[in-house]
Amino acid sequence: MNPFSYVTATDPAAARALAAEGAKYLAGGTNLVDLMREGIETPERLVDIGRLPLAGIEDLPGGGLRIGALARNTRVAADRRVRDRYPLLSQAIVNGASPQLRNRATVGGNLLQRTRCGYFYDRHSACGKREPGAGCDALDGFNRMHAVLGAGESCIAVHPSDMCVALAALDAVVNIAGRDPVPLVDFHLLPGDTPHVETVLRPGELVTSIDLPPVPPGHSAYLKVRDRASYAFALVSVAVATHLEDGRASRVRVALGGVAPKPWRAYEAERLLTGTSLDDHLIDRAAELALADARPREHNAFKPELARRLIRRALKGALS
């Protein structure tokens, strides 16, 4: 591990001033510390933000909810307002990690966690996310866990978060100190030619909270397929939220995890289903649309069909 300095921030403004180029914020540390041990992250300075007043969960006017960036995942999943109004988020968080990790991990850290691609962690492999311009050994390597949507020749790693998939389906907004809020669906970036640039954050910027807009009552579900029943990253996951009025869907949200470099919204599928009665035929068509642009690799050709089946299962739950 390379030498680094450690400082504690007492307020958000001080944190931003301390987080100069080469610095990293430290909250729960469940991902960053591992990356430092492996020599993937080599910050010159750690700015401990764990004491900042950013752990609250508060109601917003109109029925929304603001979740502080330092709120622990366990607390968010257990909060009565989250469970009653946003059960999709609670389900995703509980599916995402063991109780020990959820007790330590923060909402902001979950949002900013980095991929678990094996080639990213292996410093002897080519990885443009770890070393800009190095290429991507996963393209022709063992790519069973990798992306089938939104990727390119520079990187096919997937975003690992379960929580973010639910937030995408809930139209969440990310609040950043000193700038305008950013919709969650725009916060993470596709790799393009710069796979090492993963979010819209500029150096030193600090996520302060996430806002959830009011959601009309309806059906929601988070489904996840993984290699083992205990905690593991998703092969494919899906978050859906629907609201029916007079037997027709006035609101449909479909988000996918485990298939793309960022939480993936299936906009074409949503447009097809909005205003309809969500019958089996339309749901089948929507599932096909959601994966129409899929480009699987040698070892993950099963993912598009697995994703289609999860979408069908989740949406048909709205009819039961």
Side-chain angles (χ1 to χ4, degrees):
M1 185 179 290
N2 67 298
F4 61 90
S5 62
Y6 171 89
V7 292
T8 300
T10 55
D11 62 72
R16 294 170 62 197
L18 289 166
E21 197 76 38
K24 289 284 184 179
Y25 291 122
L26 175 68
T30 56
N31 186 211
L32 176 60
V33 173
D34 283 346
L35 291 169
M36 291 175 65
R37 286 173 178 156
E38 296 293 332
I40 308 302
E41 291 278 11
T42 56
E44 298 173 2
R45 171 187 289 175
L46 288 184
V47 180
D48 190 336
I49 58 173
R51 295 176 177 83
L52 299 185
L54 300 176
I57 302 175
E58 58 188 70
D59 289 299
L60 293 173
L65 200 64
R66 174 165 293 168
I67 302 173
L70 294 179
R72 304 290 178 179
N73 285 186
T74 293
R75 182 186 173 201
V76 175
D79 188 279
R80 176 59 62 183
R81 293 162 294 183
V82 175
R83 291 169 62 190
D84 289 348
R85 286 144 56 182
Y86 307 96
L88 181 62
L89 177 58
S90 184
Q91 293 167 18
I93 291 173
V94 170
N95 271 280
S98 67
Q100 294 91 332
L101 283 172
R102 296 200 307 268
N103 288 343
R104 187 66 187 164
T106 64
V107 166
N110 194 319
L111 186 73
L112 293 167
Q113 66 179 299
R114 304 199 70 186
T115 185
R116 297 320 196 274
C117 171
Y119 297 100
F120 174 67
Y121 272 81
D122 180 4
R123 287 184 291 167
H124 299 290
S125 297
C127 174
K129 188 178 285 292
R130 188 183 65 249
E131 183 181 346
C136 176
D137 274 353
L139 292 172
D140 298 312
F142 185 63
N143 41 44
R144 183 170 178 271
M145 297 292 294
H146 290 73
V148 296
L149 291 167
E153 294 302 304
S154 67
C155 179
I156 57 171
V158 298
H159 193 270
S161 174
D162 291 274
M163 180 194 79
C164 289
V165 180
L167 291 176
L170 292 169
D171 295 326
V173 173
V174 181
N175 295 312
I176 303 166
R179 64 182 288 188
D180 292 338
V182 177
L184 187 283
V185 292
D186 298 327
F187 181 79
H188 300 97
L189 302 175
L190 295 178
D193 295 325
T194 55
H196 59 291
V197 182
E198 298 174 357
T199 73
V200 299
L201 289 178
R202 296 184 283 266
E205 288 191 322
L206 179 67
V207 173
T208 57
S209 61
I210 292 174
D211 286 354
L212 297 173
V215 174
H219 167 80
S220 67
Y222 185 76
L223 303 179
K224 177 179 180 179
V225 175
R226 47 195 169 191
D227 278 328
R228 61 183 188 270
S230 61
Y231 292 98
F233 294 101
L235 290 169
V236 175
S237 64
V238 60
V240 302
T242 62
H243 175 64
L244 301 180
E245 292 182 3
D246 299 323
R248 293 188 173 273
S250 61
R251 182 181 185 275
V252 179
R253 298 290 185 270
V254 180
L256 297 168
V259 298
K262 59 183 286 185
W264 191 262
R265 277 280 292 274
Y267 292 111
E268 291 296 324
E270 293 173 1
R271 282 191 280 269
L272 174 69
L273 295 172
T274 301
T276 73
S277 58
L278 295 184
D279 62 63
D280 286 353
H281 174 66
L282 280 173
I283 288 174
D284 290 344
R285 283 181 56 199
E288 293 296 327
L289 269 179
L291 278 298
D293 294 328
R295 297 292 181 268
R297 298 280 169 171
E298 179 181 1
H299 301 109
N300 64 4
F302 66 93
K303 278 196 175 188
E305 180 56 26
L306 180 57
R308 293 184 194 104
R309 294 185 183 197
L310 275 190
I311 292 169
R312 293 186 192 109
R313 180 180 167 189
L315 286 170
K316 288 178 182 181
L319 304 177
S320 59

